[in-house]
Amino acid sequence: MRITKFANVALVAASLAMFGAGTASAADADWKKSLVFGGGSLGGVYYTVAGAISDLVQQKVEGIDRVSTITGSTTLFIPQIQENKVDIMLGTPDSMYFGWSAEAGLGFDKDERYDKLRVAGVAYINIMDLVVLKESGFGKIEDIADGRVGVLSATLKVPMELYLKAHGIEDPQVTIIGDWNQMAQALRDGSIAAMQGISTHPTPAITELGNAVDLQLLSYSSDAAVKDFLSNPTTRFFQKAVQPAGTYDWQTEDYATIGRGTTVIVSADLPDDEVYAIVKTIYENTDALKKVHPSAADFTTAMVQEYLDAGVIQIPFHPGARRYFEEQGVKIPDSVPAAE
């Protein structure tokens, strides 16, 4: 797993132009020629990566004339895939599962199904940093005895509580602070003992805070604690991850933690050969994509296998994507549902 810095989306066209166009064979007549890519919030990593993929596919896949990247949220794009208004999107494995399945969760009601969602690939893992002041003297998670941890959103509150409970903190006091800068200030003034960041790293707010005060990261204490956390139905879509030394100037060692992944989702209505061409183009042009955003270096078949081995892919692969990955030696377990 690699953690990388943000790159400007304005580099997309220049970076991809070096690689030419038209690497895929001519399309079948039933291909959809104009695609819509749900790319997340403007300026975010999802939007940047989606824009890079859109330009790459438009330039290199013969038979696809246009790929438009639009802004929005996962909860907006999932119904739009069902309605054939969106063809491709990015999202977390858990949101995709609860959207696809009849199980209630993450705002989806029981029996509310969007059964056209299909996996076409995976990307970077959003790493969880648990940051404390170095002067706190904390050496392990259990030292945060009262569990005063700040998180950015309501969707991260319960996972953080479960993570702390798995480490023996019985009554964690997790606070939602919906702004990076406010959370950093709360850590500095002692309102919270630790701040949680689930993101691509380095995160600018953490970098800035580290320039002002000495920081450190708290790794999980034991495999047993992580196993307990990952076995919980609420947090089963998280997985182990390692943030390499040097991600921040003050981080001198590899950091063992957890994270939540990123999946590429396509509509089940797209033809198999078209999806095969799209997936092949993405995974065989990583050098072009990572010039736009270095986290795109994680578009590898090894990362696909990592997600599968962690058991976090629980919706079907699109047959076109499945064919490509199996040709590359990826082992897809029986726990992944077959396409309907």
Side-chain angles (χ1 to χ4, degrees), residues 94-114 232-237 314-315:
D94 48 357
S95 61
M96 296 304 106
Y97 171 77
F98 287 112
W100 171 82
S101 75
E103 185 177 341
L106 294 185
F108 295 99
D109 295 332
K110 188 177 185 301
D111 297 325
E112 179 185 7
R113 291 204 65 194
Y114 299 95
N232 189 291
T234 302
T235 52
R236 67 186 188 272
F237 293 96
Q314 296 186 16
I315 74 170

Side-chain angles (χ1 to χ4, degrees), residues 169 227 230 278 335:
I169 299 175
K227 183 177 181 180
L230 297 179
I278 291 169
S335 59

Side-chain angles (χ1 to χ4, degrees), residues 7 28 52 55 62 98 107-108 116 128 169 175 180 215 220 226 250 254 279 289 327-328 335 337:
D28 291 337
D55 279 9
E62 183 180 347
F98 287 112
F108 295 99
K116 290 185 181 180
M128 188 192 82
I169 299 175
T175 303
W180 275 110
L215 302 174
Y220 58 77
V226 175
W250 44 268
D254 287 352
V279 174
L289 292 174
E327 286 177 357
Q328 304 307 308
S335 59

